[in-house]
Amino acid sequence: RKEVEQDPGPFNVPEGATVAFNCTYSNSASQSFFWYRQDCRKEPKLLMSVYSSGNEDGRFTAQLNRASQYISLLIRDSKLSDSATYLCVVNNNAGNMLTFGGGTRLMVKP
Amino acid sequence: NAGVMQNPRHLVRRRGQEARLRCSPMKGHSHVYWYRQLPEEGLKFMVYLQKENIIDESGMPKERFSAEFPKEGPSILRIQQVVRGDSAAYFCASSLTGTGVEKLFFGSGTQLSVL
């Protein structure tokens, strides 16, 4: 089983749609969780950290469910510029480096 | 305040040659991570270094790959006798404390192409 698993997609949605991605992780001792965004052939950039209480940043909402070991990202009112690959990231057993999921590709169409 | 700097941006090598990839972390960061991304795949951890120390190299292939982060100068990822399967994007990231609970800052990556 992979440490961090994501549906690769692609998710094809129209502008203005709401889309949600889930991610599962295998290490119950993981303590830090993030969503990164990666545009084609570019470096990953932090989108948001994920907290147990859930957190929101504009159109983006992240949730963490420790009992089920999954993380979600909700994007409301999708924009064309949201088209990218979204990477779920979890810290590893030793806590000193981050493990990336394979990414979920989002394509927002006009 | 410059971000993480990687060079070269693109590197072309023939099979059997050596590839040297450089990474300068963000100012004040002493923790460096190397990740590899094969085409259409996610980022795979390779190695985590602090100045003059390799902390975790569990993701490094057993042969031909090595990494260092000297007291002075950039971190170097070295691939000897490259093969076509080494063609990938190699990303370097740095962090302030290296505890795994903070975000990583990534460089723009080095795209290695092996002919």
Side-chain angles (χ1 to χ4, degrees), chain A residues 2 31-32 34 36 38 41-46 49 87 90-92 94-103 105, chain B residues 9 33 35 37 40-45 48 55-56 58 91 98-109 111:
Chain A
K2 291 182 180 178
Q31 295 184 23
S32 53
F34 308 90
Y36 276 72
Q38 186 176 30
R41 293 184 167 278
K42 295 190 175 179
E43 73 273 23
K45 294 184 178 178
L46 179 68
S49 302
L87 305 168
V90 176
N91 73 324
N92 74 337
N96 60 8
M97 62 88 172
L98 300 180
T99 300
F100 285 73
R105 190 173 173 200
Chain B
R9 187 68 193 275
Y33 309 77
Y35 285 80
Q37 188 171 32
E40 306 301 323
E41 293 190 14
L43 277 79
K44 302 296 183 189
F45 168 77
Y48 161 41
I55 307 302
D56 184 342
S58 57
F91 290 100
T99 60
V101 296
E102 61 174 86
K103 66 181 180 180
L104 299 181
F105 293 84
F106 280 86
S108 299
Q111 182 64 51

Side-chain angles (χ1 to χ4, degrees), chain A residues 5-7 11 20-24 35 70-73 88 104:
Chain A
E5 292 205 65
Q6 295 182 250
D7 180 346
F11 284 60
F21 310 135
N22 286 333
C23 160
T24 57
W35 283 101
Y70 81 79
I71 306 152
S72 64
L73 177 67
C88 175
T104 297

Side-chain angles (χ1 to χ4, degrees), chain B residues 4-22:
Chain B
V4 178
M5 304 299 292
Q6 287 189 250
N7 68 82
R9 187 68 193 275
H10 301 277
L11 182 61
V12 179
R13 285 288 178 266
R14 295 190 181 278
R15 281 179 295 171
Q17 291 184 320
E18 178 180 286
R20 292 172 71 89
L21 288 62
R22 295 174 184 77

Side-chain angles (χ1 to χ4, degrees), chain A residues 36-73:
Chain A
Y36 276 72
R37 169 189 169 136
Q38 186 176 30
D39 292 283
C40 186
R41 293 184 167 278
K42 295 190 175 179
E43 73 273 23
K45 294 184 178 178
L46 179 68
L47 181 64
M48 58 199 307
S49 302
V50 187
Y51 305 113
S52 296
S53 55
N55 48 305
E56 186 174 314
D57 183 1
R59 298 181 293 108
F60 299 83
T61 301
Q63 296 276 359
L64 167 64
N65 184 318
R66 286 188 184 272
S68 301
Q69 294 181 209
Y70 81 79
I71 306 152
S72 64
L73 177 67

